[in-house]
Amino acid sequence: MKAIVLGDGGVALGDAPVPQPKPAEVLVRVRACSLNRADLIVTSGRSHGTIGGPGTIPGLEWAGEVIETGAEVPPGIKPGDRVMCTGSGGYAEYAVADWGRIAPVGTELSFEEAATLPLALQTMHDAIVTNGRLSAEESVLIQGASSGVGLMGLQIAKLMGAAVVIGTARDAGRRARLQEFGADLALDPSDPEWPGQALSATGGKGVDVIVDHVSAGVMNQNMQAAAVLGRIVNVGRLGGFKGEFDFDLHALKRISYIGVTFRTRSVEEVRTINRLMREDLWDAVTAGRLRLPIDRTFPLDQAADALAYMRSNGHFGKIVMTV
């Protein structure tokens, strides 16, 4: 098969063996795959030794048709099914996924649209609902809301009954578009006054659930904006891996600070994440109420250009490659 393979000089289109599904896996003919920030870390060699390295096929989410199923895959999943998947190795003509990490794709979604959804849906439902423990009429702030997962977080928060939904973005043009995806208020995190604005938007109480894609550089401001007994979920570290932390403010507000990643989760845990997401959100997905804009589409053999475009940070929404 053709695949994008990581080498010493970066990524390039090459030949690779078609992966063989294990008993609990599904082989999928990939029709479209979506780019994520984590792909930049993998392809740059900054992946801390857990993933990546020469010979790696990047790609965390894709959509296509089921070709073959392992012996332990439930009978409801069969060859010919249109599916969206999360896993690894998606920048290729074929990829395998654990059966619990796939979801059906109806004809109402193109493969390109479907490829943008699974990781954002799983990540943000897990952050907002499972770890953030959002209750109806509470408030949510998405730090770094103009990313694909951020835009999905705004929509999920609104769908799940949040009374106030706030998003942050440094770029004024992107901030102006957050309302399209459910934000009641869009804030500039480079403005030192933004925590006070978040407090005002919540009647002085503070934000109940903050989902942070930035981390370093905004942590203390997050705690300033948070409510007493607020929950801050550390999903991403786009602003850096280390930063200042006001331990006294953390204690004063009795904030729950929760770190999440897929890297240390078991297969069973990820299956649960996908199942819970589908229980809460799937009707909205099939109705078209949860969506992500596609900023630009590239063919697979232009993966290096697609990654460079993501690195330039000029996109709004998702970048997709067709296979």
Side-chain angles (χ1 to χ4, degrees):
M1 69 175 182
K2 296 297 184 182
I4 298 300
V5 182
L6 178 61
D8 293 334
V11 297
L13 185 70
D15 293 314
V18 175
Q20 298 302 303
K22 297 176 183 176
E25 291 181 335
V26 174
L27 176 66
V28 174
R29 172 60 170 96
V30 179
R31 299 299 180 181
C33 54
S34 178
L35 276 66
N36 290 278
R37 290 283 178 185
D39 298 338
L40 296 180
I41 297 176
V42 171
T43 56
S44 69
R46 296 185 292 114
S47 57
H48 301 291
T50 56
I51 50 177
T56 297
I57 299 174
L60 300 175
E61 60 182 344
W62 62 92
E65 300 119 341
V66 174
I67 299 297
E68 183 182 348
T69 61
E72 297 175 6
V73 174
I77 302 169
K78 61 187 183 304
D81 287 351
R82 291 163 50 95
V83 293
M84 61 177 78
C85 315
T86 62
S88 60
Y91 289 12
E93 291 181 318
Y94 295 89
V96 294
D98 180 80
W99 68 265
R101 299 186 69 161
I102 72 173
V105 175
T107 55
E108 69 276 357
L109 287 175
S110 69
F111 285 126
E112 291 85 355
E113 292 169 326
T116 70
L117 297 177
L119 196 61
L121 288 167
Q122 292 173 19
T123 299
M124 297 311 292
H125 181 271
D126 178 69
I128 294 170
V129 179
T130 302
N131 283 289
R133 307 188 302 278
L134 176 68
S135 297
E137 299 304 313
E138 288 190 319
S139 55
V140 174
L141 184 147
I142 308 294
Q143 184 71 260
S146 64
S147 65
V149 285
L151 295 173
M152 183 58 72
L154 297 175
Q155 297 173 78
I156 290 174
K158 185 65 71 173
L159 181 71
M160 300 303 293
V164 178
V165 178
I166 305 169
T168 76
R170 291 181 179 274
D171 181 82
R174 294 176 184 176
R175 281 200 305 279
R177 295 196 61 186
L178 297 185
Q179 186 176 2
E180 299 173 32
F181 298 88
D184 300 302
L185 176 66
L187 299 177
D188 181 357
S190 64
D191 180 355
E193 302 301 320
W194 80 259
Q197 296 165 4
L199 288 169
S200 296
T202 57
K205 175 189 175 184
V207 180
D208 297 297
V209 178
I210 297 176
V211 178
D212 187 7
H213 298 109
V214 179
S215 295
V218 298
M219 185 59 212
N220 288 340
Q221 289 177 310
N222 283 342
M223 291 194 289
Q224 292 168 15
V228 173
L229 297 179
R231 289 83 72 196
I232 300 176
V233 185
N234 170 7
V235 172
R237 289 145 294 280
L238 297 176
F241 295 109
K242 298 180 181 179
E244 293 187 6
F245 191 98
D246 188 332
F247 292 94
D248 192 54
L249 181 57
H250 178 246
L252 184 68
K253 289 195 171 182
R254 292 174 283 153
I255 293 168
S256 296
Y257 183 50
I258 305 149
V260 298
T261 180
F262 278 90
R263 287 172 291 167
T264 53
R265 283 173 164 142
S266 67
V267 170
E268 291 76 17
E269 287 175 311
V270 179
R271 288 175 181 172
T272 298
I273 288 171
N274 196 35
R275 176 179 58 79
L276 293 176
M277 177 276 292
R278 290 181 60 187
E279 288 175 0
D280 280 344
L281 305 182
W282 210 246
D283 287 345
V285 172
T286 56
R289 296 175 61 192
L290 297 176
R291 61 187 176 86
L292 288 175
I294 297 176
D295 182 280
R296 190 169 171 184
T297 302
F298 293 80
L300 183 66
D301 61 5
Q302 294 180 18
D305 294 334
L307 288 163
Y309 182 56
M310 170 168 271
R311 195 175 295 110
S312 72
N313 204 33
H315 63 289
F316 182 86
K318 297 290 286 186
I319 301 168
V320 173
M321 292 191 294
T322 54
V323 183

